[in-house]
Amino acid sequence: MYDKKGRNIDYLRVSLTDRCNLRCIYCMPEDGIDKMCHEDILRFEQVEKIIAASTTLGIKKIRFTGGEPLILKGLDELIAHTASIPLINDISITTNGILLADMAKDLNKAGLKRVNISLDSLKADKFHAITRLGDVNKVFSAIDKCLSLGMVPIKINIVLMKGINDDEIGDFIKLTKYMPIQVRFIELMPIGEGIKYFDKCAMKVEEILERFPELVQIEDESRVASVYKMPGFKGSIGLISPISCKFCSKCNRIRLTSVGTIKPCLHSSEEIDLMPYLDDEQKLIDVIKSAVFNKPAEHHLETERKSDTKRMMYQIGG
Ligand code: SAM
Ligand code: SF4
């Protein structure tokens, strides 16, 4: 359906949990987070009700995220259920990839065709330092596994941080030489733990074009990324600049948090609680419809230098 700014909202991002098996420095506090009560977190059958209601309003695309979605049991069943809804034509996940090599086959069989894998460094020690817990080799295995299953194009998300991983831009670009992957550089956002790093490490993705003038822009249907290619390479490079070149006027998404609220805009504090309406299908549809229609026009990160949302990235899912 169209919101009041005329944007066609057809994409729902679902955060299934705020828990994670990593503690990325710009996302999660080092000591992790307090555990929530079970009743406060959406169960999969409640997620299914919200997805079903959203499809009646024109949602066609679902992304499962978190926290880390792969730590949840039964994700393959949720994906299979979602894939059985005829109006859904695209199901993807955003994951840190740590558990993906072992789970990819079952998830693919259940209906998952695409994955976005977060990978902020190709170097084992630096990857461990950024994620505070992760083993980069597990992520490499996950990428190989997804490629062998034909889950292409795989998108690799890199949060670009000056002085931390900007020395690896060239190595990430080289990954696209033989692999049909899209390496996507994302600007660090001043949200949650990211605020602590923003002043020191934020960097515009346009700098990549200055450092690598050989990159050639290509046509791509992505709404959020400008897509480039190194001539002759198999894969592509996406530049995502939520701050320096914001894409609010093309935004087609709403978000569902794991506590059952709809966030019409990532950076707005506005949330609509769906929990009271889960047993009344028509009311649920009406409330989501109103949330979509009233989606905020834009964020103000570029001037405020801080997100308005009170939520952390691990609660929203990116
Ligand atoms: N755990 C999964 C993962 O890391 O892919 C999914 C959830 S994570 C919150 C989703 C995406 O948000 C990741 O690509 C992560 O790098 C990104 N992210 C988290 N905090 C961020 C920040 N402050 N600025 C930019 N991206 C951020
Ligand atoms: Fe976990 Fe993803 Fe946040 Fe890293 S970015 S701490 S993997 S939720």
Side-chain angles (χ1 to χ4, degrees):
M1 72 169 268
Y2 288 87
D3 73 356
K4 65 179 177 211
K5 290 282 164 192
R7 295 170 294 192
N8 186 11
I9 309 301
D10 61 0
Y11 181 10
L12 174 66
R13 284 192 173 195
V14 181
S15 175
L16 293 171
T17 176
D18 55 3
R19 287 181 299 123
C20 186
N21 48 356
L22 298 183
R23 302 276 181 273
C24 300
I25 52 171
Y26 52 76
C27 180
M28 276 243 177
E30 184 159 15
D31 296 335
I33 52 165
D34 294 337
K35 236 181 167 180
M36 305 257 318
C37 293
H38 264 303
E39 311 83 73
D40 295 334
I41 302 284
L42 281 176
R43 296 190 305 275
F44 279 3
E45 65 264 28
Q46 295 173 318
V47 171
E48 286 167 8
K49 278 187 187 177
I50 295 170
I51 290 177
S54 306
T55 59
T56 68
L57 297 168
I59 294 292
K60 296 188 174 69
K61 213 177 143 179
I62 303 286
R63 172 175 299 278
F64 294 112
T65 172
E68 176 49 38
L70 298 195
I71 63 173
L72 298 172
K73 283 203 182 74
L75 181 62
D76 52 343
E77 285 158 32
L78 176 63
I79 288 175
H81 183 275
T82 308
S84 72
I85 303 175
L87 293 167
I88 298 290
N89 61 22
D90 187 56
I91 304 172
S92 56
I93 56 169
T94 301
T95 171
N96 58 37
I98 296 291
L99 301 172
L100 185 58
D102 290 339
M103 295 173 70
K105 196 169 170 198
D106 287 344
L107 296 178
N108 184 232
K109 213 164 126 199
L112 181 72
K113 300 285 176 268
R114 298 193 304 115
V115 290
N116 284 22
I117 301 176
S118 302
L119 175 63
D120 295 327
S121 174
L122 298 169
K123 297 179 181 161
D125 51 349
K126 200 195 289 183
F127 182 81
H128 190 266
I130 294 173
T131 61
R132 297 193 179 110
L133 289 171
D135 174 358
V136 77
N137 290 311
K138 293 192 172 155
V139 188
F140 294 153
S141 304
I143 296 171
D144 286 345
K145 185 73 191 179
C146 292
L147 284 172
S148 74
L149 290 166
M151 293 165 81
V152 289
I154 297 168
K155 293 183 179 166
I156 307 290
N157 289 347
I158 302 129
V159 176
L160 195 58
M161 292 172 283
K162 198 179 270 305
I164 296 186
N165 61 3
D166 63 320
D167 58 326
E168 293 188 60
I169 295 169
D171 296 332
F172 276 110
I173 292 175
K174 271 188 214 146
L175 279 188
T176 66
K177 188 164 186 180
Y178 300 111
M179 288 200 249
I181 58 176
Q182 185 177 100
V183 161
R184 306 186 339 151
F185 295 99
I186 303 171
E187 288 174 358
L188 176 70
M189 288 184 272
I191 177 170
E193 293 290 296
I195 295 171
K196 297 180 185 165
Y197 292 87
F198 190 71
D199 283 340
K200 208 165 133 219
C201 304
M203 153 177 185
K204 292 185 176 169
V205 285
E206 283 88 44
E207 264 193 51
I208 294 177
L209 298 175
E210 288 159 23
R211 291 198 208 172
F212 296 89
E214 319 87 283
L215 288 169
V216 182
Q217 189 157 18
I218 58 168
E219 287 280 325
D220 190 280
E221 59 195 25
S222 171
R223 282 169 188 260
V224 298
S226 313
V227 184
Y228 295 79
K229 232 177 146 62
M230 203 49 109
F233 284 21
K234 262 195 172 168
S236 59
I237 314 294
L239 304 185
I240 304 186
S241 47
I243 302 171
S244 65
C245 178
K246 66 185 193 182
F247 36 80
C248 301
S249 65
K250 290 190 281 181
C251 186
N252 64 338
R253 63 200 60 182
I254 53 170
R255 293 171 168 84
L256 174 64
T257 66
S258 55
V259 292
T261 61
I262 287 281
K263 274 188 79 62
C265 168
L266 170 61
H267 295 297
S268 161
S269 58
E270 189 187 325
E271 288 187 15
I272 299 94
D273 189 3
L274 300 183
M275 287 294 203
Y277 313 112
L278 292 176
D279 292 324
D280 182 342
E281 194 187 343
Q282 191 51 52
K283 187 75 186 153
L284 184 61
I285 293 172
D286 291 345
V287 173
I288 300 172
K289 190 173 181 179
S290 156
V292 170
F293 186 72
N294 293 307
K295 180 175 161 70
E298 58 182 349
H299 68 64
H300 304 284
L301 281 183
E302 72 285 23
T303 46
E304 310 281 323
R305 296 180 69 76
K306 191 171 163 305
S307 181
D308 268 351
T309 184
K310 305 286 173 290
R311 298 255 177 219
M312 305 288 144
M313 259 321 231
Y314 59 79
Q315 297 175 308
I316 309 170

